């Protein structure tokens, strides 16, 4: 028998098996929940579509309420460019507009947290799909997804920390939340444009999951599901109950009054007790460094405009004609008070002291507070001219407490709380800030 040449004993070379995903979450069988599927993801996504859209609109309106184009002290966002476009002059009527807008913005943001977490849970297998990038278009989609998830987390976390007055992040919340919102909404628009038709089809098909591995399964249906312990509709109900619970323990801070007791997630400890001055504040006089000498007998109010200047003692301010206005305080953190009865001198009357009573212009309001944001603010002319806009010296029939701005504070209908400057020492009418 002829000797073998050795070649026939070797197996014929064939195609090398393709490398599969590494062990762990990149493999579809790693994810075993029987609840995941296009229908559940689509329902959560459509709820977020409505909720996030409303959040963005109320956020834009909140930005407008600061009159950001009026002066640098109103909006200190650096290099905002065209992102800081201005919509319209913030109105003073209805006087509760900012209170309602910011209440909706903050409460809705908290209520949507369970929906957001449920949506992220439902699509988490997609975050680990293998290979991570298959093409240029797929890479762009993955990048938008990264910006979407990161932006959503950043906006919700910083927003909730702001509600709690817990500023553990570096820099200004105002600036960080502003830029974070634009990153998030940009990725959100891209995601909606690419996914909305599929989401609508999934909802119409119903909750029965498609077969794993098919195009309809969208990489969400497990090929090796575990036994279910709850239905998909039951999962929706649990998420809905979580949102309802957050509504109950949050909304009271925006409603105010007795309902504030139900606001378990609202910041506490800033209520100065009972009596005429017993309503919510953000910062006490001591916490911002107001000294007794700053607001004592030596305090003076300087009014400037048209090259003229008038200096008033508190007694002279009290001797001027006093007016009343029932207005709330509403802050960016979402809390607000019921209407309080303020009394003091109209801003138009103070402008008249320096010859600016007719066609009263904008005014720069400055506080004796030395540090921190919004120690000064510029109010637009329509705000100054409103007959309810006062330099208040009393509230609910009593002298202002130091924590509420003694010896005098601004109160303007419809303005954010930080624009109702406390411990006012100077008003400058009509000159650039």
């Amino acid at each position: 028998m002829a000797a073998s040449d050795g070649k026939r004993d070797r197996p014929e070379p064939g195609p090398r098996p393709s490398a599969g995903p590494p062990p762990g979450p990149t493999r579809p069988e790693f994810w075993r929940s029987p609840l995941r599927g296009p229908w559940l993801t689509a329902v959560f996504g459509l709820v977020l579509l409505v909720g996030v859209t409303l959040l963005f609109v109320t956020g834009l309106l909140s930005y407008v309420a600061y009159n950001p184009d009026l002066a640098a002290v109103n909006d200190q966002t650096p290099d905002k460019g065209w992102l800081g476009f201005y919509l319209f002059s913030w109105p003073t009527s209805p006087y509760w507009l900012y209170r309602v807008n910011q209440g909706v913005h903050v409460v809705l943001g908290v209520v949507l947290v369970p929906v957001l977490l449920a949506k992220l849970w439902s699509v988490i297998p997609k975050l680990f799909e293998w290979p991570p990038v298959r093409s240029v278009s797929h890479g762009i989609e993955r990048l938008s997804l990264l910006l979407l998830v990161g932006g959503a987390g950043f906006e919700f976390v910083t927003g909730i920390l702001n509600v709690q007055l817990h500023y553990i992040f570096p820099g200004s919340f105002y600036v960080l939340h502003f830029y974070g919102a634009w990153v998030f909404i940009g990725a959100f628009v891209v995601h909606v444009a690419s996914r909305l038709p599929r989401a609508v089809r999934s909802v119409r098909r119903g909750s029965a999951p498609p077969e794993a591995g098919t195009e309809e399964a969208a990489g969400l249906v497990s090929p090796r599901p575990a036994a279910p312990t709850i239905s998909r509709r039951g999962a929706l109900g649990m998420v809905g109950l979580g949102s309802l619970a957050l509504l109950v323990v949050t909304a009271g801070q925006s409603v105010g009054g007795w309902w504030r007791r139900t606001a378990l997630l609202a910041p506490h400890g800033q209520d100065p007790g009972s009596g005429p001055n017993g309503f919510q504040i953000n910062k006490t006089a001591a916490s911002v460094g107001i000294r007794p000498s700053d607001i004592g007998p030596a305090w003076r109010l300087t009014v400037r405009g048209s090259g003229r200047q008038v200096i008033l003692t508190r007694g002279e301010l009290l001797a001027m004609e006093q007016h009343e206005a029932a207005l709330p305080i509403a802050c960016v953190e979402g809390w607000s008070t019921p209407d309080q009865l303020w009394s003091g001198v109209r801003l138009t009357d103070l402008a008249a002291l320096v010859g600016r009573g007719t066609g009263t212009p904008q005014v720069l309001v400055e506080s004796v507070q030395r540090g921190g944001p919004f120690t000064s603010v510029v109010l637009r002319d329509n705000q100054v001219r409103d007959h309810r806009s006062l330099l208040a010296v009393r509230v609910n029939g009593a002298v202002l407490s130091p924590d509420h701005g003694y010896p005098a504070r601004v109160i303007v209908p419809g303005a954010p709380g930080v624009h109702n400057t406390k411990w006012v020492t100077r008003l400058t009418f009509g000159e650039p800030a």
Side-chain angles (χ1 to χ4, degrees):
M1 189 165 74
S4 170
D5 60 7
K7 293 181 180 179
R8 295 178 183 175
D9 296 332
R10 300 191 190 122
E12 291 294 327
R16 297 180 61 185
S18 60
T26 56
R27 296 191 174 185
E29 59 270 18
F30 178 86
W31 307 100
R32 302 198 59 200
S33 173
L35 301 183
R36 287 192 181 94
W39 180 82
L40 190 65
T41 296
V43 172
F44 289 139
L46 292 175
V47 172
L48 287 173
L49 173 61
V50 176
V52 168
T53 301
L54 184 55
L55 273 181
F56 185 67
V57 171
T58 53
L60 274 182
L61 292 176
S62 180
Y63 177 71
V64 173
Y66 282 75
N67 288 319
D69 70 325
L70 200 55
V73 294
N74 287 14
D75 181 13
Q76 300 180 23
T77 307
D79 304 320
K80 60 183 180 179
W82 62 268
L83 292 180
F85 66 89
Y86 190 65
L87 296 175
F88 53 85
S89 300
W90 188 250
T92 57
S93 293
Y95 71 90
W96 41 260
L97 179 60
Y98 183 79
R99 181 185 183 188
V100 171
N101 181 83
Q102 200 61 20
V104 169
H105 183 74
V106 171
V107 173
L108 180 60
V110 174
V111 166
L112 285 179
V113 167
V115 185
L116 176 66
L117 294 177
K119 175 67 160 56
L120 293 176
W121 171 87
S122 74
V123 299
I124 196 169
K126 297 286 288 181
L127 302 180
F128 292 92
E129 66 180 14
W130 192 266
V133 178
R134 297 191 296 267
S135 64
V136 174
S137 60
H138 184 248
I140 294 174
E141 180 187 351
R142 299 284 286 173
L143 178 61
S144 71
L145 188 62
L146 176 64
L147 294 176
L148 178 69
V149 174
F154 182 83
E155 285 298 283
F156 277 81
V157 169
T158 55
I160 291 172
L161 288 174
N162 181 61
V163 170
Q164 296 298 318
L165 305 176
H166 193 44
Y167 302 112
I168 59 174
F169 40 81
S172 164
F173 162 78
Y174 185 89
V175 174
L176 293 173
H177 208 65
F178 175 87
Y179 281 116
W182 282 112
V183 171
F184 171 56
I185 204 64
F188 182 75
V189 169
V190 171
H191 186 74
V192 169
S194 63
R195 296 297 183 183
L196 183 57
R198 176 181 289 184
V200 173
R201 289 196 303 269
S202 297
V203 170
R204 287 176 175 173
R205 273 197 301 263
S207 59
E211 186 178 347
T214 63
E215 183 179 353
E216 291 80 9
L220 302 176
V221 179
S222 174
R224 195 163 59 91
T229 57
I230 189 175
S231 68
R232 290 177 177 82
R233 297 186 186 277
L236 281 179
M238 288 184 61
V239 173
L241 285 175
S243 291
L244 179 61
L246 289 176
L247 174 66
V248 170
V249 298
T250 303
Q253 70 163 345
S254 300
V255 177
W258 181 90
W259 292 102
R260 184 170 169 77
R261 302 175 190 175
T262 67
L264 302 181
L265 296 185
H268 295 274
Q270 282 81 32
D271 192 330
S274 59
N277 281 272
F279 54 94
Q280 176 74 7
I281 57 173
N282 249 5
K283 297 177 180 178
T284 64
S287 69
V288 296
I290 300 296
R291 301 172 301 188
S293 59
D294 295 328
I295 56 176
W299 174 86
R300 296 291 184 270
L301 173 69
T302 301
V303 183
R304 294 174 176 171
S306 300
R308 298 168 61 182
Q309 175 174 293
V310 174
I311 298 177
L312 301 173
T313 65
R314 191 168 188 276
E316 291 170 330
L317 187 63
L318 292 173
M320 295 181 67
E321 184 176 3
Q322 304 289 300
H323 298 271
E324 293 184 339
L327 299 171
I329 295 288
C331 274
V332 68
E333 294 86 6
W335 67 260
S336 58
T337 72
D339 293 354
Q340 310 295 323
L341 184 61
W342 307 89
S343 60
V345 180
R346 286 176 176 162
L347 294 183
T348 51
D349 291 345
L350 291 166
L353 295 178
V354 289
R356 302 307 299 262
T358 303
T360 310
Q362 67 188 43
V363 62
L364 169 64
V365 183
E366 298 175 83
S367 171
V368 299
Q369 181 183 339
R370 291 171 178 79
F374 298 104
T375 57
S376 60
V377 70
V378 177
L379 300 175
R380 195 173 287 279
D381 54 1
N382 67 307
Q383 294 176 307
V384 179
R385 294 171 191 170
D386 193 293
H387 68 277
R388 297 164 294 183
S389 296
L390 306 175
L391 184 67
V393 293
R394 300 174 68 86
V395 63
N396 299 322
V399 174
L400 290 172
S401 69
D403 290 341
H404 278 299
Y406 177 89
R409 69 170 297 164
V410 162
I411 185 74
V412 174
V418 290
H419 280 198
N420 292 304
T421 308
K422 297 191 284 188
W423 313 295
V424 174
T425 187
R426 186 179 295 111
L427 299 171
T428 305
F429 290 94
E431 298 176 12

